[in-house]
Amino acid sequence: MQSERGTAGSADSRVITPVGNFVDRDDWATEGMRCSIERALEMVGTRSAMILLRETFLGIRRFDELTQRTGLSDAIAAKRLKALVEDGLLVQRPYREPGARTRHEYVLTDRGRSVFPIMVALMTWGDGLGEGSGLVDLFHADCGEPVESVLRCAAGHEVSLSETHARQKEKS
C-alpha cells in the first residue's frame, strides 16, 4: 500500500473511483435508500455522543462518573445517553448502593462495541493533527504492540484511498 498522507493544506487527486452505475450519480435509483454514513452520524455524530462512548469503552458506567469525566452538563449527558440507549449502543443496567435508591449504569451492547474500530481510527487521526499525541496509548494485551485501525478488503489486502472503487449497492 502506498503512503497517502498529506498535510492540511495539500491538495491530492487520490480519491475513491466510481464504477458502474455509480459513475453518473445523477441517474441513481435511490428511492428507499439512505446513506450509511448519514445513518451512523445520526447515532454518534455529536461530540457528546463520542466522548460518552469513549468513557464507556474505558469502563466508566455510572452517570455521575460519565458527567465528571466528560465535562458534560447533566442535561446534555442525560439526553445523549437516552439517545444512545434508544439507538441500541448502550443498555441501562440497574444497580443499588446500600441505603440508596436504585440507579442505572450504562453498558456497551454489541452494536456499541462495533464502534470500537471507529474510535481507534478517530483517536489515531486526532493524534496526528500536530498538537502532540493524545493522552492514551492503546496496545495489544498479548504482545504489547500499538493497536491500529487498518482498512482491508474482505480478502485481507490493505487498501488505500486510490485503490478503492465504489458502486451503487443493489436494492435488497
Side-chain angles (χ1 to χ4, degrees), residues 6-106:
T7 60
S10 67
D12 197 320
S13 62
R14 291 176 285 211
V15 295
I16 296 171
T17 303
V19 297
N21 61 355
F22 198 73
V23 173
D24 189 358
R25 292 176 64 186
D26 290 336
D27 290 340
W28 277 18
T30 57
E31 186 176 326
M33 299 177 83
R34 290 190 52 211
C35 174
S36 299
I37 294 171
E38 289 178 31
R39 278 194 319 238
L41 287 173
E42 286 171 0
M43 290 185 188
V44 298
T46 64
R47 177 185 174 275
S48 57
M50 291 302 283
I51 64 174
L52 285 164
L53 286 172
R54 175 195 68 201
E55 294 304 320
T56 60
F57 277 111
L58 293 170
I60 305 304
R61 297 178 169 193
R62 296 186 176 178
F63 183 83
D64 56 338
E65 292 174 309
L66 287 167
T67 56
Q68 176 191 4
R69 292 188 181 273
T70 61
L72 296 173
S73 70
D74 287 359
I76 294 293
K79 178 180 177 182
R80 194 63 60 218
L81 287 165
K82 180 180 179 191
L84 291 168
V85 168
E86 288 173 356
D87 289 334
L89 287 100
L90 299 173
V91 293
Q92 287 183 314
R93 186 178 297 159
Y95 73 93
R96 185 174 177 175
E97 298 285 342
R101 66 181 174 89
T102 300
R103 301 181 73 130
H104 291 90
E105 60 183 11
Y106 297 88

